[in-house]
Amino acid sequence: MSELLDRLFIWLFLLLVSIFLVLISILLPVTINEREELRVAMFGHPIPFAQQDLMGDYGEYIVKYPHKFTISFGMLENSSSIYFYETPFLFSVIIVYIGLLIIRYLHNRFLL
């Protein structure tokens, strides 16, 4: 019974770690190839799940494209233009969770 609880704890822990890693991935910069793409900038890995209209924040900047942009958190603004899509977020969590399970299996199989 104790071994079953240990496995359940590890599976739940890996699930929480995968959710955390996917949520943190929206902070990574994305490459925008042309100015018009600023309206639909997609963030998140491995499948983009957060969309933001960066035109208001970065539209007047003159940069060479392609250029890397990060998600903008308008702390002083009342409106937020970040939209989260649940299905790609769920798929991203599943992909990362399966990857963590594979790493755990390989670690237990070959290193212990």
Side-chain angles (χ1 to χ4, degrees):
M1 184 68 169
S2 175
E3 183 177 325
L4 180 63
L5 287 175
D6 288 344
R7 284 186 181 187
L8 181 64
F9 175 75
I10 289 173
W11 289 341
L12 289 176
F13 177 73
L14 290 179
L15 179 63
L16 291 176
V17 167
S18 64
I19 291 171
F20 175 74
L21 289 174
V22 169
L23 284 174
I24 289 295
S25 72
I26 66 171
L27 300 176
L28 295 174
V30 295
T31 302
I32 303 293
N33 294 318
E34 55 188 40
R35 187 173 184 270
E36 288 76 26
E37 289 181 22
L38 287 175
R39 293 200 189 278
V40 289
M42 295 295 291
F43 297 92
H45 293 286
I47 301 172
F49 58 90
Q51 177 184 352
Q52 186 176 30
D53 182 6
L54 296 175
M55 189 62 80
D57 295 330
Y58 298 112
E60 66 270 2
Y61 290 154
I62 300 173
V63 296
K64 287 186 176 181
Y65 290 97
H67 190 75
K68 291 193 179 288
F69 289 94
T70 59
I71 198 162
S72 174
F73 295 105
M75 298 297 183
L76 301 177
E77 298 174 8
N78 292 334
S79 64
S80 175
S81 63
I82 302 172
Y83 300 102
F84 288 96
Y85 298 103
E86 294 86 13
T87 305
F89 175 75
L90 181 65
F91 285 141
S92 293
V93 169
I94 290 171
I95 290 169
V96 172
Y97 182 67
I98 290 172
L100 291 176
L101 287 177
I102 290 171
I103 290 171
R104 181 179 177 272
Y105 171 76
L106 292 175
H107 177 266
N108 288 343
R109 173 84 178 171
F110 296 112
L111 296 178
L112 294 180

